[in-house]
Amino acid sequence: MATRRSLHFVFKVGNRFQTACFYRDVLGMKILRHEEFEEGCRAACNGPYDGKWSKTMVGFGPEDDHFVAELTYNYGIGNYKLGNDFMGITLASSQAVSNARKLEWPLSEVAEGVFETKAPGGYKFYLQNRSPPQSDPVLKVTLAVSDLQKSLNYWSNLLGMKIYEKDEKKQRALLGYADNQCKLELQGIQGAVVHATAFGRIAFSCPQKELSDLEDLMKRENQKILTPLVSLDTPGKATVQVIILADPMDPEGSKLLDDAMAKDKSDEWFAAQNKPKASG
């Protein structure tokens, strides 16, 4: 699967001025391209919004060989509710640590030489105070999962990622398509994974000829496909074909639980009858 590559993570942003300051002045990334759109994306790149929006790609180098961030801004939306799905991006850059200190951007040391900071909107970044071990300082994206084994089957067996590290005790695994690429870290958590309105996407590329087979595989495996294979025009770049897949966690699980609990009046009924609930 060496021809597949990690591309970018999509963030919804509510304040472009503060966001541009963080990525350019704190992290030291460059603006790679910026696009304005009058209506929502066919693949819901900007979320479930139909109005005017913009997309800005930022990174430490060209999109062709660096993992970058896609910043989507919906005009009229000032903030988004964070879930527990996105746990952070880790990058190695002593310059970013120096920039944050100089600009008095909040930093907290969470391990020796590792600092936690937040982008506008509350998205976590972990800055390693050292030179990057590879040409791209972005090392990994960490996402929460509620069933590590199920997620490993999805990302490794179905999507072809190599498992670089696995720690059953800590409920953690590190995956990727190549040694010198940004990795995907899966971290098991207790309870449901909640995406909320700020939920983002992680994007990967693969040869065009593999997309139809990948879509067929996901259908056979009864995996959720959010957007079937579609062509998207990109100003200044070649038209791309995209499939939007959902990870194996149910994004509506938390809402369904909350709705069920709201409808459950059994506690009130037993209290009104002055009876205890039975033991199982």
Side-chain angles (χ1 to χ4, degrees), residues 192-225:
V193 174
V194 179
H195 295 283
T197 59
F199 73 91
R201 292 174 172 173
I202 188 166
F204 301 90
S205 67
C206 74
Q208 183 174 323
K209 62 183 180 181
E210 296 179 10
L211 286 174
S212 293
D213 291 341
L214 182 60
E215 185 176 40
D216 290 340
L217 172 64
M218 290 302 177
K219 289 178 180 177
R220 291 197 305 271
E221 295 291 330
N222 295 315
Q223 298 294 332
K224 189 170 185 179
I225 299 175

Side-chain angles (χ1 to χ4, degrees), residues 215-261:
E215 185 176 40
D216 290 340
L217 172 64
M218 290 302 177
K219 289 178 180 177
R220 291 197 305 271
E221 295 291 330
N222 295 315
Q223 298 294 332
K224 189 170 185 179
I225 299 175
L226 297 178
T227 302
L229 186 59
V230 62
S231 295
L232 298 178
D233 292 329
T234 303
K237 299 191 73 176
T239 297
V240 296
Q241 290 190 304
V242 176
I243 300 174
I244 310 296
L245 305 173
D247 64 22
M249 303 304 115
D250 182 2
E252 296 297 321
S254 183
K255 181 180 183 302
L256 291 174
L257 173 61
D258 289 338
D259 290 346
M261 290 190 296

